[in-house]
Amino acid sequence: MHDLLQDMVVIFALSLLVILLLRRVRVPSALAFLTSGIVAGPHGLGLVKNIESIERFAEVGVIFLLFTIGIEISLKNLFRTRRVVFLGGTLQLVLTMLATAGILVCFNWSPGKAIFGGFLTALSSTAIVLKMLQEQAELHQSYGRTSMGILIFQDMAVIPMMLLIPLLSGNGNAIMFDITGFVIRFGIIATVLIILTKWVVPWLLHTVALLKRRDLFLLTILFLAFAVAWMTSGLGISLALGAFFAGLVISESDYHHHAFG
């Protein structure tokens, strides 16, 4: 435990120093934290020893970040940009993947490996980009909502990409079974989220709010964040995206401002 606390002190101290230095050149804090991790990590100065424990803490931090951003966003406003999201997200993924794959083929990469490299290049970091938009108060701008929608589209596209990897390696026997499983899991997630948004969460938050216990309300919010993230991760969706979905579910209730506070 002492070693873990020592690692956390080192990370916080280094992060403060890096943020103060990079703020002078107007670098966003999300990139400053990323730089701190690179410097303190095993491939940098090696200041952190308990890598696995720190990674788990970092996952919790990402869960809270995406959860609060989800609370800020209205599901109705996000739904209004669905055409731009699906069209823009599809074009961004396909064009970036094809361009990257074409370049890699020119360097004598096999088609399968080149397409896989295109998959990796076409994806962005949802946590970093949304954090930057949140810091600059641009989440509610039209381009902010469009960017957020495309990022969510990318996160959802990760699953089909993973299903296609065996096909790219020449082992596509179980591809139809995997696709069927993905469709079933996606249907389960969508159904559960609709039920939570329409009936369960509004009733639960209203019931807890009537008790006028701030600590109980806080525990309920934390429970919803981790429960939805845990449920979606069990069905193949990332923890961060699951936490974002949990935030969206709460954003449609009458108590989303209290939850965000």
Side-chain angles (χ1 to χ4, degrees), residues 163-178:
L163 296 179
L164 289 174
I165 291 177
L167 188 63
L168 295 176
S169 63
N171 183 20
N173 295 330
I175 188 68
M176 291 305 299
F177 175 78
D178 290 338

mmCIF file of all heavy atoms in Angstrom, residues 163-178:
data_model
loop_
_atom_site.group_PDB
_atom_site.id
_atom_site.type_symbol
_atom_site.label_atom_id
_atom_site.label_comp_id
_atom_site.label_asym_id
_atom_site.label_seq_id
_atom_site.Cartn_x
_atom_site.Cartn_y
_atom_site.Cartn_z
ATOM 1 N N LEU A 163 -14.348 -8.227 -34.753
ATOM 2 C CA LEU A 163 -14.922 -9.433 -35.338
ATOM 3 C C LEU A 163 -14.300 -9.760 -36.688
ATOM 4 O O LEU A 163 -14.270 -10.924 -37.100
ATOM 5 C CB LEU A 163 -16.435 -9.256 -35.498
ATOM 6 C CG LEU A 163 -17.240 -9.082 -34.198
ATOM 7 C CD1 LEU A 163 -18.710 -8.892 -34.521
ATOM 8 C CD2 LEU A 163 -17.055 -10.270 -33.269
ATOM 9 N N LEU A 164 -13.821 -8.726 -37.391
ATOM 10 C CA LEU A 164 -13.242 -8.933 -38.717
ATOM 11 C C LEU A 164 -11.778 -9.358 -38.667
ATOM 12 O O LEU A 164 -11.228 -9.776 -39.685
ATOM 13 C CB LEU A 164 -13.361 -7.649 -39.550
ATOM 14 C CG LEU A 164 -14.779 -7.277 -40.012
ATOM 15 C CD1 LEU A 164 -14.764 -5.910 -40.686
ATOM 16 C CD2 LEU A 164 -15.334 -8.331 -40.961
ATOM 17 N N ILE A 165 -11.144 -9.232 -37.489
ATOM 18 C CA ILE A 165 -9.721 -9.575 -37.395
ATOM 19 C C ILE A 165 -9.450 -11.033 -37.772
ATOM 20 O O ILE A 165 -8.498 -11.312 -38.525
ATOM 21 C CB ILE A 165 -9.191 -9.254 -35.977
ATOM 22 C CG1 ILE A 165 -9.153 -7.739 -35.771
ATOM 23 C CG2 ILE A 165 -7.792 -9.854 -35.773
ATOM 24 C CD1 ILE A 165 -8.718 -7.322 -34.380
ATOM 25 N N PRO A 166 -10.246 -12.030 -37.290
ATOM 26 C CA PRO A 166 -9.994 -13.412 -37.740
ATOM 27 C C PRO A 166 -10.112 -13.568 -39.252
ATOM 28 O O PRO A 166 -9.379 -14.352 -39.857
ATOM 29 C CB PRO A 166 -11.077 -14.221 -37.007
ATOM 30 C CG PRO A 166 -11.437 -13.399 -35.829
ATOM 31 C CD PRO A 166 -11.328 -11.970 -36.286
ATOM 32 N N LEU A 167 -11.022 -12.814 -39.867
ATOM 33 C CA LEU A 167 -11.184 -12.891 -41.318
ATOM 34 C C LEU A 167 -9.950 -12.350 -42.027
ATOM 35 O O LEU A 167 -9.502 -12.895 -43.045
ATOM 36 C CB LEU A 167 -12.424 -12.103 -41.744
ATOM 37 C CG LEU A 167 -12.858 -12.233 -43.207
ATOM 38 C CD1 LEU A 167 -13.243 -13.674 -43.533
ATOM 39 C CD2 LEU A 167 -14.022 -11.299 -43.511
ATOM 40 N N LEU A 168 -9.360 -11.277 -41.482
ATOM 41 C CA LEU A 168 -8.161 -10.691 -42.079
ATOM 42 C C LEU A 168 -6.963 -11.627 -41.954
ATOM 43 O O LEU A 168 -6.067 -11.613 -42.796
ATOM 44 C CB LEU A 168 -7.832 -9.352 -41.407
ATOM 45 C CG LEU A 168 -8.863 -8.232 -41.591
ATOM 46 C CD1 LEU A 168 -8.457 -6.995 -40.796
ATOM 47 C CD2 LEU A 168 -9.029 -7.872 -43.065
ATOM 48 N N SER A 169 -6.952 -12.436 -40.887
ATOM 49 C CA SER A 169 -5.841 -13.374 -40.690
ATOM 50 C C SER A 169 -6.054 -14.693 -41.418
ATOM 51 O O SER A 169 -5.231 -15.599 -41.306
ATOM 52 C CB SER A 169 -5.644 -13.635 -39.188
ATOM 53 O OG SER A 169 -6.800 -14.248 -38.644
ATOM 54 N N GLY A 170 -7.188 -14.803 -42.129
ATOM 55 C CA GLY A 170 -7.459 -16.011 -42.901
ATOM 56 C C GLY A 170 -8.229 -17.057 -42.149
ATOM 57 O O GLY A 170 -8.385 -18.186 -42.622
ATOM 58 N N ASN A 171 -8.748 -16.709 -40.968
ATOM 59 C CA ASN A 171 -9.510 -17.667 -40.172
ATOM 60 C C ASN A 171 -10.920 -17.117 -39.982
ATOM 61 O O ASN A 171 -11.255 -16.565 -38.942
ATOM 62 C CB ASN A 171 -8.835 -17.901 -38.810
ATOM 63 C CG ASN A 171 -9.564 -18.941 -37.986
ATOM 64 O OD1 ASN A 171 -10.317 -19.747 -38.517
ATOM 65 N ND2 ASN A 171 -9.341 -18.897 -36.678
ATOM 66 N N GLY A 172 -11.748 -17.273 -40.980
ATOM 67 C CA GLY A 172 -13.078 -16.681 -40.944
ATOM 68 C C GLY A 172 -14.198 -17.679 -40.759
ATOM 69 O O GLY A 172 -15.338 -17.395 -41.118
ATOM 70 N N ASN A 173 -13.904 -18.824 -40.192
ATOM 71 C CA ASN A 173 -14.932 -19.857 -40.046
ATOM 72 C C ASN A 173 -16.045 -19.458 -39.090
ATOM 73 O O ASN A 173 -17.217 -19.766 -39.309
ATOM 74 C CB ASN A 173 -14.284 -21.168 -39.559
ATOM 75 C CG ASN A 173 -13.327 -21.750 -40.588
ATOM 76 O OD1 ASN A 173 -13.527 -21.565 -41.789
ATOM 77 N ND2 ASN A 173 -12.294 -22.429 -40.135
ATOM 78 N N ALA A 174 -15.664 -18.758 -38.012
ATOM 79 C CA ALA A 174 -16.656 -18.431 -36.975
ATOM 80 C C ALA A 174 -17.174 -16.999 -37.088
ATOM 81 O O ALA A 174 -17.799 -16.503 -36.167
ATOM 82 C CB ALA A 174 -16.047 -18.643 -35.587
ATOM 83 N N ILE A 175 -16.929 -16.346 -38.245
ATOM 84 C CA ILE A 175 -17.270 -14.930 -38.365
ATOM 85 C C ILE A 175 -18.763 -14.699 -38.269
ATOM 86 O O ILE A 175 -19.216 -13.749 -37.633
ATOM 87 C CB ILE A 175 -16.700 -14.368 -39.697
ATOM 88 C CG1 ILE A 175 -16.886 -12.842 -39.744
ATOM 89 C CG2 ILE A 175 -17.347 -15.015 -40.887
ATOM 90 C CD1 ILE A 175 -16.048 -12.099 -38.767
ATOM 91 N N MET A 176 -19.585 -15.570 -38.893
ATOM 92 C CA MET A 176 -21.037 -15.376 -38.858
ATOM 93 C C MET A 176 -21.578 -15.560 -37.448
ATOM 94 O O MET A 176 -22.474 -14.842 -37.012
ATOM 95 C CB MET A 176 -21.720 -16.350 -39.822
ATOM 96 C CG MET A 176 -21.470 -16.051 -41.291
ATOM 97 S SD MET A 176 -21.916 -14.357 -41.746
ATOM 98 C CE MET A 176 -23.656 -14.341 -41.359
ATOM 99 N N PHE A 177 -21.005 -16.510 -36.728
ATOM 100 C CA PHE A 177 -21.421 -16.720 -35.338
ATOM 101 C C PHE A 177 -21.101 -15.493 -34.486
ATOM 102 O O PHE A 177 -21.914 -15.061 -33.654
ATOM 103 C CB PHE A 177 -20.722 -17.955 -34.770
ATOM 104 C CG PHE A 177 -21.000 -18.193 -33.319
ATOM 105 C CD1 PHE A 177 -22.202 -18.753 -32.913
ATOM 106 C CD2 PHE A 177 -20.063 -17.835 -32.357
ATOM 107 C CE1 PHE A 177 -22.472 -18.965 -31.555
ATOM 108 C CE2 PHE A 177 -20.326 -18.049 -31.005
ATOM 109 C CZ PHE A 177 -21.523 -18.616 -30.622
ATOM 110 N N ASP A 178 -19.927 -14.891 -34.710
ATOM 111 C CA ASP A 178 -19.531 -13.709 -33.956
ATOM 112 C C ASP A 178 -20.428 -12.523 -34.284
ATOM 113 O O ASP A 178 -20.797 -11.744 -33.400
ATOM 114 C CB ASP A 178 -18.069 -13.355 -34.247
ATOM 115 C CG ASP A 178 -17.108 -14.380 -33.659
ATOM 116 O OD1 ASP A 178 -17.517 -15.085 -32.729
ATOM 117 O OD2 ASP A 178 -15.973 -14.482 -34.148
#
